[in-house]
Amino acid sequence: MSDEKYSYDTGKVHSFQSIDYVLFVLTLLVSAGIGVIFAIVDRGRNTPKDFLIGGKQMHVIPVSMSLTVTFLSALTILGVPAEIYIFSTMFWYLCVAYILAVAMAAYIFIRFFHELGIISVFEVVKR
């Protein structure tokens, strides 16, 4: 790593190098490959219940992690790392606060929806 100062000190704008592009494409290919493999393997599962909660046969940790990740927006997932990459770690406090907020929301809402036995928030209106 070079001894350059961060862009907020020097005004320099960092850009992707060739290794960054290779890792970015590799990440997308791995993600797409996992989706294709599981689409082929699980062709018989067509019900919304199987799709959303694994037919209630999955352990609570992957289900909780899935629901927690859906709480995050795509803008946050893409934007915060980009801001940290360009402007250093001035978003550190925001990241810590966001982790605490997600943990609290997961503790409250995931337990609530699990106890109701519903698949989607929209089922609350039907009850």
Side-chain angles (χ1 to χ4, degrees):
M1 181 145 189
S2 66
D3 291 330
E4 285 185 17
K5 293 189 179 234
Y6 293 112
S7 62
Y8 66 87
D9 288 334
T10 63
K12 292 182 182 177
V13 177
H14 298 281
S15 62
F16 267 28
Q17 304 298 321
S18 59
I19 188 68
D20 297 319
Y21 286 112
V22 168
L23 291 174
F24 180 69
V25 169
L26 185 64
T27 302
L28 292 177
L29 289 175
V30 167
S31 179
I34 290 170
V36 169
I37 289 170
F38 279 98
I40 292 170
V41 170
D42 292 336
R43 284 187 300 245
R45 293 186 175 191
N46 293 328
T47 65
K49 190 172 192 176
D50 286 333
F51 178 74
L52 294 172
I53 59 173
K56 287 201 172 184
Q57 295 177 358
M58 293 178 68
H59 192 265
V60 69
I61 292 176
V63 173
S64 299
M65 288 174 60
S66 174
L67 291 172
T68 302
V69 168
T70 59
F71 178 74
L72 299 170
S73 69
L75 182 62
T76 302
I77 291 172
L78 295 173
V80 170
E83 290 287 343
I84 289 175
Y85 180 77
I86 293 173
F87 298 113
S88 180
T89 56
M90 64 185 173
F91 281 111
W92 175 250
Y93 294 120
L94 176 67
C95 294
V96 171
Y98 207 75
I99 289 170
L100 293 174
V102 168
M104 288 173 39
Y107 179 75
I108 294 168
F109 292 111
I110 291 174
R111 276 187 33 195
F112 177 74
F113 290 129
H114 184 268
E115 290 174 10
L116 284 177
I118 61 175
I119 295 174
S120 171
V121 176
F122 298 111
E123 288 186 24
V124 175
V125 177
K126 294 179 184 177
R127 290 186 180 241

